[in-house]
Amino acid sequence: MSLPDTPAAADPGSSSKPGDGAEHSTAALAEPTAKVTARWVTGLVLVNVGINAAFFGPINVFIAEQAIGIDETNKEAIASLVLGCGAAVSLVANPLFGALSDRTVSGFGRRAPWVLAGAVLATAALLALSGATAVALMVLFWCLVQLGANAAYAAITAAIPDRVPVLQRGGVGGVAALGQTAGILLGSVFGAVVSGNYMVGYALCAAALLFSVLPYVFHRNDPPLPRALRPPFSWRSFLRGFWISPARHPDFAWAWLTRFLVNVCNQLTIVYLIFFLGDVLKLENPALGVLILTGIYAALVMVTAVIAGPWSDRLGRRKPFVIGSSVLIALAGLTLAFFPVWTGALVGAAILGVGFGAYQAVDFALLTQVLPQAADRGKDMGVINVAASLPQVFATGLAFLAVTYFGGYFTLFTTAAVMGLLGAVFVVKIKGVR
């Protein structure tokens, strides 16, 4: 189902004419060399803001508050069930919509149709979720949010290796991380502002998502794929394409594993944060506590992401940044484990922000450099994105067991740290990127 890594450029002496597909094949599939404009990058950042507000407003605050409203005694189990089912949907949705966008033939481009359609679906599902009064309905509508938002996220992620040259990817990865963090912060702001009224909170997240995609859609720089270059479809080759052999592509496999481990670390650190603040630290307003911690984290992510990304571009090195930032992320978990007080939470949030900002910017650039081939960028980035989605399934179950049966929050946070340190160690295995 795959096309060659880079399509052959049109022969200057050939009979190709404008509109016959030759120049479009180069634009759609070739390795990009021209730097992207500030307007395009702004559109990319805003899409990331909206998607992450739609994800993390519910994940950090609203689903927990809704679970309390349905059954306070079993709030942890309800939250784990809803988040775990949604994350399971994202495991399939992200690579699936990435692969579908690779094959999309339209005058609107390959990625933009999925960005818009996914945002519309997730917006409608968030509004429906706001009125859910049963666990089953929470699960259903959150799964639809994940379906739509992951369609948009798969497409916008693939747009970066489509349009951004390698030597600009650290910088663009940094501002994309800034957008993601701004979205997380915006979701927390919504949580604090609505003061427990999660219905209004869901509506605010829905509006943020829908309006955030419009600047990108109107200035998308998304060259269409000529119909003649789309391979014939068969279910066997389509499904088999999602398996990327570690033996043939070891750098891709190690990059996937390290991203998985570091995201497990991050997810274990934050998944029960609102419960940790209320039940262990005894804060009167845990949602406000989440906002304060997220604000510290977000500010430092924004600073380190926009510094580390361009810095790695200038040095032409990715691995030292990824290793160091993974260690810092692990250290944040240890801080919460050994200092379970408000001051420890503040310090942990700061360390996590410094580490995750650098990690998001530089690891993303590293990942785009180990993709197997250009024609499958959307599918391959979707497979990579599973390494960020799967931890939501894995970590929610692990967090529930740790907190309920195996030592509580100390076990939870030390387990997070071990995962982060393993992620740092395995980065060394990647050979094709410095």
Side-chain angles (χ1 to χ4, degrees):
M1 97 178 236
S2 301
L3 297 176
D5 284 9
T6 29
D11 184 345
S14 72
S15 59
S16 298
K17 298 179 177 59
D20 67 0
E23 75 281 3
H24 289 300
S25 68
T26 300
L29 300 178
E31 187 67 23
T33 57
K35 288 188 175 183
V36 289
T37 65
R39 185 166 66 176
W40 186 88
V41 173
T42 299
L44 172 81
V45 170
L46 290 174
V47 173
N48 277 281
V49 170
I51 290 174
N52 282 274
F55 277 146
F56 287 97
I59 287 172
N60 287 346
V61 179
F62 302 130
I63 286 175
E65 291 181 342
Q66 196 167 8
I68 291 170
I70 290 176
D71 184 355
E72 185 171 4
T73 303
N74 296 303
K75 61 183 184 293
E76 292 94 345
I78 293 172
S80 292
L81 175 65
V82 174
L83 294 173
C85 288
V89 169
S90 75
L91 296 181
V92 177
N94 209 295
L96 173 63
F97 287 113
L100 291 174
S101 71
D102 285 336
R103 299 179 53 86
T104 296
V105 174
S106 80
F108 203 49
R110 291 188 297 163
R111 313 302 183 189
W114 297 101
V115 172
L116 181 59
V120 170
L121 173 60
T123 296
L126 282 166
L127 295 175
L129 178 61
S130 70
T133 56
V135 175
L137 291 176
M138 285 183 67
V139 170
L140 171 63
F141 293 131
W142 180 242
C143 286
L144 289 176
V145 172
Q146 287 279 358
L147 190 71
N150 272 280
Y153 187 64
I156 200 65
T157 302
I160 296 177
D162 277 352
R163 309 312 317 149
V164 182
V166 169
L167 292 180
Q168 198 184 8
R169 285 182 193 168
V172 172
V175 294
L178 186 152
Q180 292 167 5
T181 305
I184 295 170
L185 179 59
L186 183 61
S188 295
V189 169
F190 290 159
V193 167
V194 301
S195 301
N197 190 340
Y198 60 81
M199 295 181 68
V200 175
Y202 283 128
L204 291 173
C205 290
L209 174 58
L210 186 60
F211 286 109
S212 74
V213 304
L214 298 180
Y216 174 79
V217 168
F218 288 121
H219 302 289
R220 55 193 175 276
N221 186 18
D222 188 7
L225 177 70
R227 189 174 298 275
L229 293 182
R230 182 172 64 180
F233 180 82
S234 76
W235 279 109
R236 181 178 179 183
S237 62
F238 182 74
L239 295 175
R240 192 168 60 186
F242 291 103
W243 170 250
I244 300 171
S245 169
R248 291 180 58 195
H249 305 287
D251 280 355
F252 184 91
W254 285 117
W256 192 97
L257 178 61
T258 60
R259 191 168 183 82
F260 170 77
L261 290 170
V262 173
N263 275 278
V264 169
C265 173
N266 183 66
Q267 189 67 25
L268 286 174
T269 303
I270 67 172
V271 65
Y272 282 166
L273 183 59
I274 193 169
F275 299 146
F276 174 73
L277 296 180
D279 297 341
V280 177
L281 303 193
K282 306 300 183 182
L283 296 189
E284 292 184 6
N285 189 342
L288 179 59
V290 170
L291 175 60
I292 293 170
L293 296 179
T294 305
I296 294 170
Y297 160 88
L300 290 169
V301 164
M302 293 177 186
V303 172
T304 56
V306 297
I307 292 174
W311 190 6
S312 74
D313 284 341
R314 289 194 298 272
L315 295 179
R317 297 178 66 87
R318 312 293 190 196
K319 287 163 63 175
F321 290 89
V322 176
I323 292 169
S325 60
S326 300
V327 171
L328 284 175
I329 293 167
L331 181 59
L334 290 176
T335 302
L336 291 174
F338 286 96
F339 302 99
V341 294
W342 178 240
T343 302
L346 294 171
V347 173
I351 295 172
L352 187 64
V354 172
F356 210 64
Y359 182 83
Q360 283 186 300
V362 184
D363 188 65
F364 184 87
L366 183 153
L367 292 169
T368 65
Q369 293 176 237
V370 298
L371 299 180
Q373 54 189 2
D376 295 330
R377 290 181 186 124
K379 181 262 296 178
D380 294 339
M381 287 303 297
V383 173
I384 284 287
N385 288 337
V386 169
S389 301
L390 185 58
Q392 296 178 38
V393 179
F394 182 77
T396 50
L398 187 58
F400 178 72
L401 292 174
V403 170
T404 308
Y405 300 108
F406 296 111
Y409 286 95
F410 179 83
T411 301
L412 176 66
F413 294 135
T414 53
T415 302
V418 170
M419 294 293 181
L421 292 173
L422 287 174
V425 169
F426 291 140
V427 172
V428 177
K429 296 287 189 177
I430 299 170
K431 303 301 183 184
V433 181
R434 296 172 63 201

